[in-house]
Amino acid sequence: MRRTLFTPEHEQFRDTARAYYLKECVPHAEEWERAGIVSREAWRAAGAAGLIGWEFPEEFGGQGIRDFRYNAIMAEEMAATGTVGIGLGLQNDVLPSYLSHLTGEQQHRWLPGIVSGRTICALALSEPDAGSDLAAMRTTARREGDHYVLSGQKTFITNGILADFVIVACKTDPDARHKGISLLVVERGMPGFERGRRLDKVGLKAQDTAELFFHDVRVPAANLLGEQGRGFAYMMENLPTERIAIAVSALGGAQRAFELALEYARTRTAFGQPIGTFQANRFALADMRAKLDAARTYVDGCIMALVEGHLTAVDAAAAKYWTTETAWQIIDRCVQLFGGYGYINEYEIARIWRDNRIERIFGGTSEIMQEIVGRSLGLTSATVRKQE
């Protein structure tokens, strides 16, 4: 279907993004998958191409442009080119909301490195016993003079091995639950900051995901992000953007899987004819095409709602839930069409299948998304009792 949300400037940006992925990332896909990590050179190349931090002020290397359509293009082209591993989505989709709370001194200290790709960022929220329930986190930071003493553990941290700059959620007031959470920036080399094992995941093999440990790390008070006790509020600010970014990524993977399956259906023969000519396969591909068109229209509408400033948290949760579940159905059906070859790791379709499974979990599981939408309908026990 013809899309109407992109301008010629967006399409020029798409050309730049695709050229970057094809030159700097695609040739290294197998190497990065085996190593479980991408190269820092690819990050610096992204910075040089203007593909990181375009919404930051020009004085720090950005372009002062805040428009999620550029973020969507990055995710779409990453999927379309078969690029693996590089965590630019975290740096572009998630971090800017947090970094909007930097002081002037912090901007000068950190933003030039981030925009250039020389400083790789991570966001450390999840813990072994605290995922969606962030108020249950155990990582703490106590104030001692001009420092905070940070202690705790984080897990499932994207860019955890490569990161030079880690925003860590911690309890500065352990008794205040959500209101006691603050954000501290921990930098590479700080004594007591240790990286644990690189986690062996089912998919996203090239993207380093790690455990992080903080053993009485003395973090300068100047590294407090925003106001003390406001960390939970800052985390909530960006959830609609993060969830639409996940929806875009999932849909990009489904589109790529469909294109691979369609080509396979045209060229693979069985019983003397292309397998796409069999009614079951032809109908399956037709069903996928229709679902992709519907999902694209839905997500494009959400993108524009985000750009125009009226996308709600409930809208984003609904889109994230439906799109990731639908994308998974499409990708799984594509694997089935490939038959035995769909289960062989050297085939791209198998990697897409492995990588896409996480989309229904991170950024809030499908069940959490359903809970958010369900509560918006007045379907909580307290609300129902009140109505009765």
Side-chain angles (χ1 to χ4, degrees), residues 77-257:
E77 291 306 310
M78 184 173 180
T81 57
T83 294
V84 300
I86 190 159
L88 295 174
L90 175 69
Q91 202 111 331
N92 287 325
D93 303 340
V94 180
L95 268 296
S97 175
Y98 290 87
L99 299 181
S100 69
H101 299 288
L102 295 180
T103 65
E105 183 275 332
Q106 289 172 335
Q107 288 180 323
H108 282 89
R109 186 154 43 115
W110 291 321
L111 288 186
I114 292 171
V115 174
S116 69
R118 291 181 284 107
T119 299
I120 298 173
C121 300
L123 182 63
L125 306 183
S126 296
E127 299 182 2
D129 297 317
S132 297
D133 183 10
L134 292 170
M137 70 175 62
R138 298 181 180 179
T139 298
T140 62
R142 68 181 186 275
R143 183 71 181 261
E144 289 189 358
D146 293 333
H147 290 78
Y148 289 90
V149 180
L150 177 68
S151 301
Q153 175 184 355
K154 299 292 181 177
T155 193
F156 308 137
I157 308 305
T158 300
N159 298 338
I161 300 298
L162 282 173
D164 309 291
F165 172 106
V166 185
I167 298 175
V168 182
C170 56
K171 290 282 190 70
T172 47
D173 183 350
D175 298 323
R177 288 185 59 77
H178 299 88
K179 294 182 179 180
I181 296 174
S182 301
L183 303 176
L184 294 176
V185 174
V186 175
E187 299 175 79
R188 178 182 291 277
M190 285 185 172
F193 171 33
E194 297 179 4
R195 300 163 206 267
R197 63 195 176 101
R198 187 174 65 244
L199 299 176
D200 182 13
K201 308 185 297 296
V202 171
L204 298 178
K205 293 287 189 178
Q207 182 184 91
D208 73 285
T209 306
E211 298 173 313
L212 302 180
F213 298 92
F214 308 95
H215 305 290
D216 292 335
V217 181
R218 293 185 65 80
V219 182
N223 281 26
L224 175 68
L225 184 62
E227 299 177 29
Q228 181 171 310
R230 293 280 295 162
F232 185 78
Y234 299 152
M235 287 186 271
M236 294 301 102
E237 285 176 356
N238 195 56
L239 281 178
T241 299
E242 181 180 352
R243 287 167 178 164
I244 292 304
I246 293 169
V248 172
S249 177
L251 185 55
Q255 182 67 44
R256 175 69 171 175

